[in-house]
Amino acid sequence: MTERIFNFGAGPAVLPEPVLEEAQRDLMALPDVGMSVLEISHRSKTFDEIIGGCEADIRRLAGIPSDYRVLFLQGGASLQFSMVPMNLLPAGGRADYIVTGSWSKKAVKEAQKSGTVQIACTTEADNFNRIPAQTELRLDPSAAYVHFTSNETIHGVEWKTEPKTGSVPLVCDASSDIFSRPIEVGRYALIYAGAQKNLGPSGVTLVIIRSDLLERVPKNLPTMLDYRVQAENKSLYNTPPVFGVYIMRLVVKWLLDRGGLEGIGRENAAKAGSLYDALDASGGYYRPHARPDSRSHMNVAFRLPSEDLEKKFVAEARASKLDGLKGHRSVGGIRASLYNAFPKAGVEALVSFLKEFARKNG
Ligand SMILES: Cc1ncc(COP(=O)(O)O)c(C=O)c1O
């Protein structure tokens, strides 16, 4: 078999090996079906079982209450930046947005095209290195909803608990930390996530929405952008991302087998903890971007003493089979993404590599 290297990429990202193996084994023909999952009809009994099974397993994994709908959409999390306000922000209404990094900024930019956006808080003055305290949020009790980004993939800051919004519906972009730890879905009105970090391949977006919000959806939205149409048609109004849903189903099964969200949450905390410990023990050679209380378990962003050293670090790491460590082009530096499927052995390899790099280049 072709050798696999450690993939620290931010997304699309590493998938569990048992998932890739099963998909590879069954790619020519699904057992007892005789056709590839890439070839079957989305209206077939086989796909019914795949999408129904995927939803049932997601419900079990995250303990999703029965008054929530689970949707499998397309257009990425970026389309949700538009769909959320189109569906949930009534004419003349206002929505509160909490801005903690580049992704929440993008969400604001799209929402502004649909209606009035209020910035409840922004940490931009601190270069997005922290999650705000509850007391910093200027929340409007009559807002249509509050939007936040549970994990900022580029800046590597992550909420430890949800912002408290009273009776105002809470909407979350969870693209880069969904199902990485236990979640109480009942606290949210809507959760969305592009699949390509923790859930599967790109091309499918998971949306979990409380049913009563569907009543707010205005009439005459473009059909494909209407949550109510998608819910009424069980995500099958048109051809859904069949392969993406199939892989997501395998990933969710893998998570259930691994001890569910409690189990994976412990593993993720341990993986990220050992990397941050190594950075903190470097005597300032490596400087994590996020403040300690806001550090992401999914994306560990840090700097070296100079940009030249950062370039050298990325190139030498790549040669040592540690790939995808270059920080996002907008902030530079190094970023190690440690999603659910990223193995502990890869973190250990990076920790040894970075100790040796600092010793040689200190
Ligand atoms: C937090 C967050 N939100 C939104 C997006 C955009 O996702 P997509 O490429 O699926 O539109 C990303 C992509 O990296 C992300 O990390």
Side-chain angles (χ1 to χ4, degrees), residues 14-285:
V14 59
L15 286 167
E17 283 186 12
V19 167
L20 295 176
E21 280 160 0
E22 182 170 340
Q24 182 189 43
R25 201 170 54 237
D26 292 350
L27 191 68
M28 282 298 282
L30 288 165
D32 304 321
V33 176
M35 287 182 279
S36 171
V37 68
L38 298 171
E39 302 168 315
I40 57 169
S41 163
H42 59 292
R43 310 265 175 222
S44 62
K45 195 167 150 282
T46 305
F47 187 64
D48 246 13
E49 198 278 324
I50 290 172
I51 196 167
C54 187
E55 175 173 344
D57 283 349
I58 286 173
R59 286 184 174 279
R60 190 149 70 89
L61 179 72
I64 300 179
S66 57
D67 58 334
Y68 283 73
R69 303 299 300 265
V70 176
L71 308 177
F72 303 95
L73 306 183
Q74 302 195 54
S78 299
L79 186 58
Q80 295 309 306
F81 295 164
S82 307
M83 275 179 76
V84 164
M86 287 169 90
N87 283 266
L88 306 183
L89 183 51
R94 299 173 308 277
D96 279 345
Y97 276 67
I98 304 174
V99 179
T100 48
S102 306
W103 290 112
S104 33
K105 261 180 105 166
K106 283 200 172 167
V108 166
K109 192 167 157 228
E110 291 310 307
Q112 282 168 334
K113 296 174 186 172
S114 293
T116 305
V117 169
Q118 304 174 134
I119 306 299
C121 181
T122 173
T123 55
E124 190 157 16
D126 293 320
N127 196 14
F128 296 130
N129 71 351
R130 65 186 187 88
I131 296 298
Q134 180 71 32
T135 48
E136 292 176 79
L137 309 179
R138 291 177 306 274
L139 296 174
D140 172 356
S142 62
Y145 60 85
V146 177
H147 180 283
F148 82 112
T149 308
S150 52
N151 183 68
E152 288 282 355
T153 322
I154 293 174
H155 296 87
V157 293
E158 187 175 29
W159 290 74
K160 302 302 163 198
T161 56
E162 301 84 4
K164 291 181 189 63
T165 61
S167 58
V168 178
L170 182 62
V171 174
C172 178
D173 174 1
S175 293
S176 51
D177 69 346
I178 189 150
F179 301 163
S180 65
R181 56 182 173 174
I183 180 167
E184 206 176 310
V185 174
R187 292 192 180 162
Y188 298 78
L190 189 152
I191 302 167
Y192 64 88
Q196 65 272 18
K197 300 162 200 304
N198 261 339
L199 295 177
S202 60
V204 52
T205 308
L206 182 69
V207 174
I208 302 169
I209 180 170
R210 209 175 60 217
S211 305
D212 61 285
L213 290 161
L214 298 173
E215 287 154 27
R216 287 197 193 186
V217 176
K219 295 214 167 26
N220 295 323
L221 280 185
T223 306
M224 285 297 292
L225 305 183
D226 184 322
Y227 287 134
R228 200 172 32 212
V229 171
Q230 297 288 1
E232 280 167 0
N233 289 277
K234 299 188 165 177
S235 314
L236 285 161
Y237 177 80
N238 76 331
T239 317
V242 170
F243 186 69
V245 173
Y246 164 78
I247 296 288
M248 194 187 288
R249 182 178 192 202
L250 300 183
V251 171
V252 171
K253 268 193 188 153
W254 175 83
L255 280 169
L256 286 167
D257 289 346
R258 244 183 137 82
L261 299 186
E262 292 279 350
I264 204 75
R266 274 193 301 273
E267 286 186 47
N268 287 331
K271 283 187 297 183
S274 65
L275 180 51
Y276 284 117
D277 285 349
L279 299 175
D280 289 341
S282 71
Y285 188 82

Side-chain angles (χ1 to χ4, degrees), residues 4-10 12-15 321-324 337 342-343:
R4 281 171 63 78
I5 62 174
F6 290 121
N7 174 8
F8 290 91
V14 59
L15 286 167
K321 302 186 173 137
L322 308 172
D323 196 29
S337 297
F342 190 86

